[in-house]
PDB file of all heavy atoms in Angstrom:
ATOM      1  N   PHE A 252       0.249   9.341  -3.892  1.00 96.00           N
ATOM      2  CA  PHE A 252      -0.640   8.419  -3.098  1.00 96.00           C
ATOM      3  C   PHE A 252      -1.157   7.381  -3.955  1.00 96.00           C
ATOM      4  O   PHE A 252      -1.579   7.643  -5.069  1.00 96.00           O
ATOM      5  CB  PHE A 252      -1.700   9.130  -2.333  1.00 96.00           C
ATOM      6  CG  PHE A 252      -1.309  10.248  -1.342  1.00 96.00           C
ATOM      7  CD1 PHE A 252      -1.657  11.467  -1.522  1.00 96.00           C
ATOM      8  CD2 PHE A 252      -0.335   9.935  -0.404  1.00 96.00           C
ATOM      9  CE1 PHE A 252      -1.141  12.474  -0.637  1.00 96.00           C
ATOM     10  CE2 PHE A 252       0.094  10.906   0.527  1.00 96.00           C
ATOM     11  CZ  PHE A 252      -0.301  12.219   0.331  1.00 96.00           C
ATOM     12  N   THR A 253      -1.221   6.114  -3.420  1.00 96.00           N
ATOM     13  CA  THR A 253      -1.636   5.019  -4.265  1.00 96.00           C
ATOM     14  C   THR A 253      -3.174   4.904  -4.191  1.00 96.00           C
ATOM     15  O   THR A 253      -3.896   5.122  -3.112  1.00 96.00           O
ATOM     16  CB  THR A 253      -1.122   3.736  -3.699  1.00 96.00           C
ATOM     17  OG1 THR A 253       0.309   3.814  -3.619  1.00 96.00           O
ATOM     18  CG2 THR A 253      -1.412   2.508  -4.598  1.00 96.00           C
ATOM     19  N   PHE A 254      -3.721   4.571  -5.309  1.00 98.00           N
ATOM     20  CA  PHE A 254      -5.223   4.334  -5.458  1.00 98.00           C
ATOM     21  C   PHE A 254      -5.409   2.964  -4.686  1.00 98.00           C
ATOM     22  O   PHE A 254      -4.750   1.906  -5.080  1.00 98.00           O
ATOM     23  CB  PHE A 254      -5.705   4.093  -6.849  1.00 98.00           C
ATOM     24  CG  PHE A 254      -5.612   5.416  -7.731  1.00 98.00           C
ATOM     25  CD1 PHE A 254      -4.690   5.465  -8.624  1.00 98.00           C
ATOM     26  CD2 PHE A 254      -6.629   6.347  -7.573  1.00 98.00           C
ATOM     27  CE1 PHE A 254      -4.594   6.610  -9.385  1.00 98.00           C
ATOM     28  CE2 PHE A 254      -6.543   7.481  -8.331  1.00 98.00           C
ATOM     29  CZ  PHE A 254      -5.628   7.620  -9.282  1.00 98.00           C
ATOM     30  N   THR A 255      -6.302   2.972  -3.670  1.00 98.00           N
ATOM     31  CA  THR A 255      -6.626   1.598  -2.989  1.00 98.00           C
ATOM     32  C   THR A 255      -8.157   1.198  -3.446  1.00 98.00           C
ATOM     33  O   THR A 255      -8.664   0.259  -2.967  1.00 98.00           O
ATOM     34  CB  THR A 255      -6.518   1.693  -1.488  1.00 98.00           C
ATOM     35  OG1 THR A 255      -7.148   2.867  -0.962  1.00 98.00           O
ATOM     36  CG2 THR A 255      -4.959   1.739  -1.214  1.00 98.00           C
ATOM     37  N   SER A 256      -8.612   1.975  -4.394  1.00 98.00           N
ATOM     38  CA  SER A 256      -9.887   1.523  -5.054  1.00 98.00           C
ATOM     39  C   SER A 256      -9.462   0.793  -6.410  1.00 98.00           C
ATOM     40  O   SER A 256      -8.268   0.814  -6.846  1.00 98.00           O
ATOM     41  CB  SER A 256     -10.687   2.822  -5.482  1.00 98.00           C
ATOM     42  OG  SER A 256      -9.979   3.702  -6.034  1.00 98.00           O
ATOM     43  N   LEU A 257     -10.399   0.185  -7.046  1.00 98.00           N
ATOM     44  CA  LEU A 257     -10.148  -0.437  -8.182  1.00 98.00           C
ATOM     45  C   LEU A 257     -10.507   0.471  -9.427  1.00 98.00           C
ATOM     46  O   LEU A 257     -11.303   1.359  -9.361  1.00 98.00           O
ATOM     47  CB  LEU A 257     -10.982  -1.790  -8.369  1.00 98.00           C
ATOM     48  CG  LEU A 257     -10.658  -2.856  -7.264  1.00 98.00           C
ATOM     49  CD1 LEU A 257     -11.535  -3.992  -7.432  1.00 98.00           C
ATOM     50  CD2 LEU A 257      -9.243  -3.193  -7.358  1.00 98.00           C
ATOM     51  N   PRO A 258     -10.049   0.235 -10.622  1.00 96.00           N
ATOM     52  CA  PRO A 258     -10.126   1.163 -11.738  1.00 96.00           C
ATOM     53  C   PRO A 258     -11.667   1.324 -12.071  1.00 96.00           C
ATOM     54  O   PRO A 258     -12.053   2.358 -12.506  1.00 96.00           O
ATOM     55  CB  PRO A 258      -9.340   0.454 -12.936  1.00 96.00           C
ATOM     56  CG  PRO A 258      -8.270  -0.339 -12.229  1.00 96.00           C
ATOM     57  CD  PRO A 258      -8.883  -0.852 -10.884  1.00 96.00           C
ATOM     58  N   GLU A 259     -12.425   0.175 -11.901  1.00 97.00           N
ATOM     59  CA  GLU A 259     -13.828   0.173 -12.277  1.00 97.00           C
ATOM     60  C   GLU A 259     -14.726   0.707 -11.193  1.00 97.00           C
ATOM     61  O   GLU A 259     -15.946   0.814 -11.481  1.00 97.00           O
ATOM     62  CB  GLU A 259     -14.287  -1.277 -12.733  1.00 97.00           C
ATOM     63  CG  GLU A 259     -14.178  -2.270 -11.688  1.00 97.00           C
ATOM     64  CD  GLU A 259     -12.814  -2.987 -11.615  1.00 97.00           C
ATOM     65  OE1 GLU A 259     -11.758  -2.396 -11.943  1.00 97.00           O
ATOM     66  OE2 GLU A 259     -12.844  -4.163 -11.086  1.00 97.00           O
ATOM     67  N   ASP A 260     -14.280   1.065 -10.065  1.00 98.00           N
ATOM     68  CA  ASP A 260     -15.076   1.516  -8.956  1.00 98.00           C
ATOM     69  C   ASP A 260     -15.664   2.889  -9.325  1.00 98.00           C
ATOM     70  O   ASP A 260     -15.114   3.613 -10.003  1.00 98.00           O
ATOM     71  CB  ASP A 260     -14.256   1.633  -7.713  1.00 98.00           C
ATOM     72  CG  ASP A 260     -13.924   0.269  -7.034  1.00 98.00           C
ATOM     73  OD1 ASP A 260     -14.485  -0.679  -7.478  1.00 98.00           O
ATOM     74  OD2 ASP A 260     -13.132   0.272  -6.066  1.00 98.00           O
ATOM     75  N   GLU A 261     -16.808   3.179  -8.653  1.00 97.00           N
ATOM     76  CA  GLU A 261     -17.589   4.419  -8.967  1.00 97.00           C
ATOM     77  C   GLU A 261     -16.755   5.636  -8.495  1.00 97.00           C
ATOM     78  O   GLU A 261     -16.721   6.762  -9.065  1.00 97.00           O
ATOM     79  CB  GLU A 261     -18.956   4.448  -8.297  1.00 97.00           C
ATOM     80  CG  GLU A 261     -19.709   5.592  -8.631  1.00 97.00           C
ATOM     81  CD  GLU A 261     -21.106   5.445  -7.901  1.00 97.00           C
ATOM     82  OE1 GLU A 261     -21.451   4.451  -7.384  1.00 97.00           O
ATOM     83  OE2 GLU A 261     -21.815   6.471  -7.943  1.00 97.00           O
ATOM     84  N   ASN A 262     -16.016   5.531  -7.334  1.00 98.00           N
ATOM     85  CA  ASN A 262     -15.241   6.565  -6.717  1.00 98.00           C
ATOM     86  C   ASN A 262     -13.846   6.158  -6.543  1.00 98.00           C
ATOM     87  O   ASN A 262     -13.427   5.017  -6.906  1.00 98.00           O
ATOM     88  CB  ASN A 262     -15.816   6.921  -5.334  1.00 98.00           C
ATOM     89  CG  ASN A 262     -17.243   7.381  -5.427  1.00 98.00           C
ATOM     90  OD1 ASN A 262     -17.635   8.212  -6.131  1.00 98.00           O
ATOM     91  ND2 ASN A 262     -18.105   6.811  -4.555  1.00 98.00           N
ATOM     92  N   VAL A 263     -12.937   7.134  -6.232  1.00 98.00           N
ATOM     93  CA  VAL A 263     -11.590   6.793  -5.955  1.00 98.00           C
ATOM     94  C   VAL A 263     -11.276   6.758  -4.520  1.00 98.00           C
ATOM     95  O   VAL A 263     -11.909   7.548  -3.781  1.00 98.00           O
ATOM     96  CB  VAL A 263     -10.520   7.786  -6.730  1.00 98.00           C
ATOM     97  CG1 VAL A 263     -10.709   7.517  -8.269  1.00 98.00           C
ATOM     98  CG2 VAL A 263     -10.760   9.195  -6.369  1.00 98.00           C
TER      99      VAL A 263
END
Side-chain angles (χ1 to χ4, degrees):
F252 300 124
T253 307
F254 293 103
T255 49
S256 49
L257 298 180
E259 61 270 24
D260 288 351
E261 185 181 348
N262 301 309
V263 291

